[in-house]
Amino acid sequence: MSRSRRLLEACAEPMERAVSMRFAEEVRTGVIGDQAYADYLEIEASFVATAARLHGLAVWDAPGWTAMERNARAVHALTTEQAAYFDTARAAWPVPARPDAARRAAILSEFALAGAREGGYPAVMTLLFAAESLYLTWCSRAHREGRVPAGPIADWVALHAGEDFRAGVDALARDLDALPAAVPNGPLVRLFAGMLEAEIAFHDAVYA
């Protein structure tokens, strides 16, 4: 069994809880409130900056040119296309985020950056694979069912349900599968599960 598949199977329970978290369900069923999504725009924009840092660390530690190039492209996309989405969406949204939104949701960035600093490239690939597998799963389900509110919310969901995003998740899986056999699975399983728990707490913060 591949390493990426082993991680998914070992963490199936926290993944199912994360896929079914309140925020994902309210987006999927079209009942997400304006204030909750305003806070989400603020906290997710802050995590995009963290994701850029994670990919930047992966560029530094990448084992070869292909991995270096892919992570560099990810940094570019996060700091251009995704940053532009948040600027546009926040400017158009009917209510602003509450002032403490980013502070309430700091757990995800804190967990991811600490894990990356300690575990290096294998940890970064694991953390990103956990986060992006979660988003691919719940956004694909929401997009398929077609009840997501039109506008910025539907745009964000469609971005994470599209073929380009799926290809990025598949690339992360290949990078994990290519790790040397000497890299132990235990710490990566703990990072993967921990990232999912942090994702749940992060998204729950929009309701605080």
Side-chain angles (χ1 to χ4, degrees):
M1 184 186 298
S2 69
R3 193 187 293 265
S4 59
R5 176 53 54 185
R6 187 176 292 113
L7 285 171
L8 289 168
E9 292 198 1
C11 301
E13 188 275 331
M15 177 63 82
E16 183 54 37
R17 283 192 289 107
V19 167
S20 303
M21 60 190 169
R22 179 181 173 183
F23 178 82
E25 284 298 288
E26 290 192 357
V27 170
R28 181 182 68 84
T29 56
V31 300
I32 188 74
D34 285 348
Q35 187 62 69
Y37 200 75
D39 284 10
Y40 175 74
L41 288 171
E42 186 69 20
I43 70 174
E44 186 66 15
S46 70
F47 186 73
V48 164
T50 295
R53 294 177 187 275
L54 293 173
H55 280 290
L57 180 60
V59 170
W60 181 265
D61 284 342
W65 178 256
T66 299
M68 185 185 299
E69 184 180 36
R70 189 185 69 76
N71 282 284
R73 286 199 306 269
V75 172
H76 182 264
L78 289 163
T79 56
T80 55
E81 297 166 19
Q82 290 207 20
Y85 165 82
F86 290 107
D87 288 344
T88 302
R90 284 184 289 189
W93 202 248
V95 298
R98 289 172 286 187
D100 64 340
R103 179 192 59 79
R104 285 186 276 116
I107 183 173
L108 186 60
S109 288
E110 291 171 355
F111 180 85
L113 292 174
R117 290 188 180 107
E118 181 177 348
Y121 181 81
V124 173
M125 293 299 99
T126 301
L127 294 162
L128 290 169
F129 184 57
E132 296 196 4
S133 294
L134 167 61
Y135 259 68
L136 178 63
T137 303
W138 81 259
C139 287
S140 295
R141 181 184 297 178
H143 185 66
R144 185 168 59 249
E145 293 181 4
R147 292 183 284 172
V148 179
I153 302 178
D155 292 344
W156 187 244
V157 168
L159 175 67
H160 293 88
E163 287 307 311
D164 287 348
F165 190 76
R166 183 180 298 276
V169 177
D170 290 344
L172 285 167
R174 290 194 298 272
D175 288 342
L176 278 168
D177 296 342
L179 292 175
V183 176
N185 284 318
L188 301 188
V189 170
R190 289 190 289 274
L191 278 175
F192 193 101
M195 189 65 171
L196 294 175
E197 298 292 353
E199 287 274 12
I200 294 170
F202 172 85
H203 288 83
D204 284 350
V206 305
Y207 303 105

